[in-house]
């Protein structure tokens, strides 16, 4: 399918659906590379990755898929998070593909930004990165220093364009100022029918400095696809089991809205609910592209159909009115249950880790 493209700053032009490579890392490197290769051949013109995804595995698999396929979409990656040092504020604690616990920290110091960029070039097998985004603001480092390091890398030819991610409105403006003559081309933020927080400041700030919005988690991590009804069960160590948005009550309410509004409208446009949810985003002012994840190439194929949908003002309003009532806040009992499930998952992982260490 030939997908439309939109300008992102003066030098980039992603397809309106960008492939998100965050989920890559759980399968073997060969399987990841094959999966990415299959996705690339569907016609996406840009892929979003990060050193953090699969703790390096997503970038390595993408580099491998680029080499094998001979295709060269625009490659967007990130800097500023690390798990190999005790410096910096802790963002979260996770597990790498080998099950080893990793403490992920913010590190926006200039020398670390440079190290991140060079390590990404190495993993991706690229001399030059198309877009490098500061993954999360490091509040211990002045934004001028972090962005200044990226500006130097642009002047040296290592990086074509600079963006930020998860930044608040005032930080977006500060980042644009810090770049001086160079443009801040993008803000990457969560944005979907179920999460419109970016409309409370960051989207307007991005527009005011000429940066395009790259909407991440546009399907609310799968909830807007109709595949997560209240009857679905998750293993205790599945992150969704301890996420309030995936609680039974929340999924029931979201599934109702998907079934009574999103799905019928999608059928009228001869697409599935996922494509319609993405199409809604592509009609929002300031959105350049959506970054859609896919655990199978057929899911991406479905998402790409978003580009074919044109929605009327009345249809947009219908979706906004229905999903504006969601998500419901979980009850106290539900919050306690999801927290306990999360703890149980953590205990199970710890026991498994101990067994692996004792009985290798
Ligand atoms: N900058 C940041 O901090 C940040 C944070 C998060 C994500 N991101 C970027 O955004 C990308 C996408 O985010 P995301 O994966 O959180 O969310 P998403 O795109 O909202 O959801 C993707 C998930 O939805 C399901 N899905 C996708 N298409 C489907 C279809 N047609 N039918 C049924 N299910 C479908 C798949 O999961 P199942 O098959 O398991 O249901 C897939 O993994 C990431 O890959 C990453 O590049 C950036």
């Amino acid at each position: 399918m030939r997908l439309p493209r939109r300008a992102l700053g003066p030098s980039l032009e992603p397809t309106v659906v960008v492939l998100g490579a965050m989920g890559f890392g759980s399968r073997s490197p060969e399987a990841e590379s094959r999966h990415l290769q299959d996705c690339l051949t569907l016609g996406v013109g840009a892929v979003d990755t990060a050193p953090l995804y699969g703790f390096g595995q997503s970038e390595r698999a993408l580099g491998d898929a680029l080499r094998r396929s001979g295709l060269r979409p625009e490659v967007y990656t990130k800097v500023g998070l690390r798990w190999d040092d005790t410096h910096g504020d802790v963002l979260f604690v996770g597990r790498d593909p080998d099950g080893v616990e990793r403490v992920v920290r913010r590190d926006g110091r200039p020398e670390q930004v440079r190290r991140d960029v060079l390590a990404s070039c190495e993993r991706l097998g690229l001399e030059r990165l198309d877009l490098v985004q500061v993954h999360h603001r490091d509040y211990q480092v002045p934004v001028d220093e972090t962005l200044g390091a990226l500006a130097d890398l642009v002047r040296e030819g290592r990086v074509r364009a600079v963006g930020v991610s998860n930044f608040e409105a005032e930080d977006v403006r500060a980042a644009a100022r810090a770049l001086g003559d160079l443009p801040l081309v993008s803000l990457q933020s969560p944005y979907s029918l179920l999460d419109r927080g970016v409309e409370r400041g960051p989207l307007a700030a991005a527009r005011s400095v000429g940066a395009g919005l790259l909407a991440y988690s546009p399907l609310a991590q799968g909830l807007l696809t109709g595949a997560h009804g209240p009857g679905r069960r998750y293993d205790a160590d599945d992150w969704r089991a301890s996420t309030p948005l995936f609680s039974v009550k929340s999924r029931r309410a979201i599934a109702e809205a998907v079934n009574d509004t999103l799905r019928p409208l999608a059928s009228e446009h001869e697409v599935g609910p996922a494509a319609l949810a993405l199409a809604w985003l592509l009609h929002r002012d300031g959105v350049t592209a959506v970054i859609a994840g896919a655990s199978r190439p057929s899911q991406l194929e479905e998402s790409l159909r978003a580009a074919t949908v044109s929605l009327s003002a009345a249809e947009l309003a219908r979706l906004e009115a229905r999903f504006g009532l969601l998500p419901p806040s979980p009850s106290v009992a539900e919050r306690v249950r999801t927290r306990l499930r999360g703890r149980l998952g953590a205990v199970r992982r710890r026991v498994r880790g101990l067994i692996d260490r004792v009985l290798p």
Side-chain angles (χ1 to χ4, degrees), residues 188-199:
Q188 186 177 137
S189 293
Y191 196 14
S192 73
L193 273 167
L194 288 174
D195 181 354
R196 297 177 62 182
V198 74
E199 293 173 4

Side-chain angles (χ1 to χ4, degrees), residues 153-227:
L153 287 153
V154 171
R155 289 187 199 101
E156 290 166 28
R158 271 286 176 194
V159 170
R160 280 173 78 193
V162 175
V164 292
S165 176
N166 301 302
F167 269 39
E168 296 298 339
E170 65 272 24
D171 294 328
V172 172
R173 290 192 200 94
R177 277 195 303 274
L179 284 172
D181 293 345
L182 293 173
L184 178 77
V185 308
S186 63
L187 166 65
Q188 186 177 137
S189 293
Y191 196 14
S192 73
L193 273 167
L194 288 174
D195 181 354
R196 297 177 62 182
V198 74
E199 293 173 4
R200 292 193 289 271
L203 179 56
R207 294 185 72 191
S208 74
V209 300
L213 192 95
L214 298 176
Y216 82 68
S217 298
L219 298 169
Q221 296 161 320
L223 282 166
L224 289 168
T225 66

Side-chain angles (χ1 to χ4, degrees), residues 29-97:
E30 296 72 28
E32 296 296 10
S33 169
R34 254 195 322 274
H35 172 76
L36 266 162
Q37 222 179 312
D38 290 345
C39 286
L40 291 184
T41 50
L42 287 171
V44 284
V47 184
D48 180 71
T49 181
L52 179 69
Y53 302 163
F55 295 89
Q57 193 155 303
S58 170
E59 286 190 334
R60 272 191 293 272
L62 179 55
D64 198 38
L66 293 176
R67 267 190 303 278
R68 285 170 197 255
S69 67
L71 295 167
R72 181 59 175 87
E74 291 178 0
V75 174
Y76 304 164
T77 190
K78 308 188 184 77
V79 290
L81 294 181
R82 65 189 309 187
W83 54 92
D84 60 346
D85 195 80
T86 52
H87 172 87
D89 293 336
V90 175
L91 184 66
F92 71 94
V93 180
R95 294 210 162 248
D96 71 13

Side-chain angles (χ1 to χ4, degrees), residues 115-135:
R115 264 198 296 269
D116 279 352
V117 164
L118 296 181
S120 290
C121 286
E122 173 85 30
R123 285 190 287 259
L124 289 159
L126 297 174
E127 282 293 306
R128 194 180 192 205
L129 303 172
D130 296 315
L131 174 64
V132 174
Q133 307 148 102
V134 181
H135 206 149

